[in-house]
Amino acid sequence: MAEITAQLVKDLRERTGAGMMECKSALKEANGDMDEAEIVLRKRGIASAGKKSSRVTKQGLIGTYIHHGGQLGVMLEVNCESDFVARTDDFKELVHDLAMHIAAADPQFVRKEDVTPAAIEREKDIQRARVIAEGKPEKVADKIVEGRMGKFYEEVCLYEQPFVKENTLTVDQLIKTKIAKLGENIGVARFTRFKVGGE
Amino acid sequence: MAEITAQLVKDLRERTGAGMMECKSALKEANGDMDEAEIVLRKRGIASAGKKSSRVTKQGLIGTYIHHGGQLGVMLEVNCESDFVARTDDFKELVHDLAMHIAAADPQFVRKEDVTPAAIEREKDIQRARVIAEGKPEKVADKIVEGRMGKFYEEVCLYEQPFVKENTLTVDQLIKTKIAKLGENIGVARFTRFKVGGE
């Protein structure tokens, strides 16, 4: 039996708007599992599907950038550790610069680790065929493919791309200079890019 | 053998930036399949992974809305049929109103048809348990569940929600008044909503 802490009850109340005793009882039934407890409350008719405010656990900002008269848009979330840093001009400038960068450079993933295995396989396949088409000897083919994968990551991962406003820096390096300056860990949580009529 | 039309070649050129003869040859090899032809070009070292501008087939606008000092953001795409309508104040107002509505009302899907079968099953399950907990007779349970599903769609689907600025209208009805006024089909293609530290 999991312990139902005051913190858990508080979190469930924030999430569902239900009363303290109702939350306590739902958590007991769900053995301390927050998502399950929310379902229990909904089954009892206490919480509703619409109310679904996930608890904020990080600080940061949501930034947007609109280009070409509303034909292209970017939205991203950048996290830091404190509300104080999130409100500095330096942090705001970083969020704005990153949104603009994403609009221009069209990355597909945030970091190298985020590239899907399927995307890696597809790319390796293409590069292998290309190396063979170029008539390179079989024994150096794998080395060449590996080298070209580095280029691929540079093309599709936000953190690996050269920063559009100052292309001697990668985006990763740009973020690191802000981390050094502001003294807090900073990271891009997610981004999305819409183009009218696009994917 | 698929016919390689001038339009196909033009589309592939727009998409990859490759030359006309290269595109023609790649399309022949891919038997007219655009995605395949792009891979052929990449295998030949002609097109690059970064260049991936999907062809714009619709008109419209991307809209954004930022709330709570950058703690909440919404981005959406609204389509219409002509560039002319996309530039009218009426259309811009609709896009802005919808972005604000999404920030406030937090829909999960665009239309009823977009609700996933898993989400429907999960909700029916919750409502069935709730009806039973209320001690309603078995034979009316299904009817009550069906009734409550209507309420569920109203809570989670953008088109079914009451418009926040004028709740005698649904969003669907709001869009229909704009369609009538502007004389073109108008529809929400997609939206996304970011909250700092959220899902």
Side-chain angles (χ1 to χ4, degrees), chain A:
Chain A
M1 190 75 188
E3 198 202 347
I4 310 304
T5 62
Q7 185 62 48
L8 267 177
V9 174
K10 188 167 165 269
D11 289 352
L12 186 60
R13 289 191 68 182
E14 273 179 18
R15 224 162 112 159
T16 62
M20 195 179 68
M21 296 312 292
E22 293 164 337
C23 289
K24 221 172 189 170
S25 141
L27 280 161
K28 265 187 194 154
E29 187 171 326
N31 204 18
D33 183 299
M34 186 69 69
D35 290 335
E36 270 304 307
E38 196 179 336
I39 293 179
V40 168
L41 284 175
R42 297 212 44 228
K43 285 183 175 174
R44 292 183 187 161
I46 292 164
S48 84
K51 181 106 191 172
K52 230 198 67 184
S53 68
S54 52
R55 204 170 72 95
V56 172
T57 53
K58 286 171 182 168
Q59 300 299 321
L61 284 179
I62 309 296
T64 57
Y65 184 76
I66 290 281
H67 202 48
H68 291 310
Q71 298 304 292
L72 177 71
V74 168
M75 181 159 72
L76 86 162
E77 175 180 354
V78 188
N79 290 137
C80 56
E81 296 174 48
S82 74
D83 187 37
F84 174 77
V85 161
R87 275 178 293 173
T88 59
D89 286 342
D90 265 298
F91 190 80
K92 285 179 192 162
E93 185 192 53
L94 174 68
V95 174
H96 177 260
D97 279 349
L98 290 174
M100 215 190 54
H101 172 94
I102 293 166
D106 194 11
Q108 309 294 310
F109 305 94
V110 177
R111 295 171 182 81
K112 249 171 117 163
E113 306 89 87
D114 302 319
V115 181
T116 57
I120 295 174
E121 268 325 295
R122 187 168 163 277
E123 184 63 23
K124 279 193 175 161
D125 199 48
I126 289 171
Q127 295 304 342
R128 246 180 245 117
R130 209 183 124 194
V131 168
I132 290 161
E134 289 164 1
K136 296 274 177 8
E138 190 76 33
K139 58 183 176 183
V140 296
D142 279 353
K143 267 236 140 63
I144 298 174
V145 168
E146 276 314 312
R148 287 185 185 165
M149 288 307 286
K151 179 88 188 130
F152 171 68
Y153 292 126
E154 256 174 53
E155 282 178 353
V156 301
C157 299
L158 171 63
Y159 270 66
E160 306 295 318
Q161 291 180 329
F163 176 41
V164 289
K165 274 176 73 177
E166 197 184 329
N167 63 16
T168 54
L169 283 181
T170 63
V171 167
D172 186 41
Q173 287 165 336
L174 167 72
I175 292 171
K176 277 184 181 140
T177 64
K178 290 286 183 175
I179 292 174
K181 188 164 181 191
L182 295 169
E184 275 193 11
N185 198 14
I186 294 168
V188 175
R190 51 185 168 164
F191 68 84
T192 185
R193 189 176 181 275
F194 283 1
K195 207 170 160 182
V196 169
E199 291 298 286

Side-chain angles (χ1 to χ4, degrees), chain B residues 38-102:
Chain B
E38 196 179 337
I39 292 179
V40 169
L41 283 175
R42 296 213 44 228
K43 286 184 174 173
R44 291 183 188 162
I46 293 165
S48 83
K51 182 106 190 172
K52 230 197 68 181
S53 67
S54 51
R55 204 171 71 94
V56 172
T57 55
K58 286 172 183 169
Q59 300 299 320
L61 284 179
I62 309 293
T64 57
Y65 184 75
I66 291 281
H67 202 46
H68 292 311
Q71 298 303 294
L72 177 71
V74 167
M75 182 159 71
L76 86 163
E77 175 180 354
V78 187
N79 291 137
C80 55
E81 296 174 46
S82 74
D83 188 38
F84 174 78
V85 161
R87 276 179 292 173
T88 58
D89 286 341
D90 265 299
F91 190 80
K92 285 179 191 161
E93 184 192 54
L94 174 67
V95 174
H96 177 261
D97 279 349
L98 289 174
M100 214 192 52
H101 172 95
I102 293 165

Side-chain angles (χ1 to χ4, degrees), chain B residues 108-119:
Chain B
Q108 309 293 310
F109 306 95
V110 178
R111 295 172 181 81
K112 250 170 115 165
E113 306 89 86
D114 301 318
V115 181
T116 58

Side-chain angles (χ1 to χ4, degrees), chain B residues 2-3 26 30 37-38 49 53 90 99 105 115 118 136 138 144 147 174 180 193:
Chain B
E3 198 203 347
E38 196 179 337
S53 67
D90 265 299
V115 181
K136 296 276 181 5
E138 191 75 35
I144 297 173
L174 167 72
R193 189 176 181 276

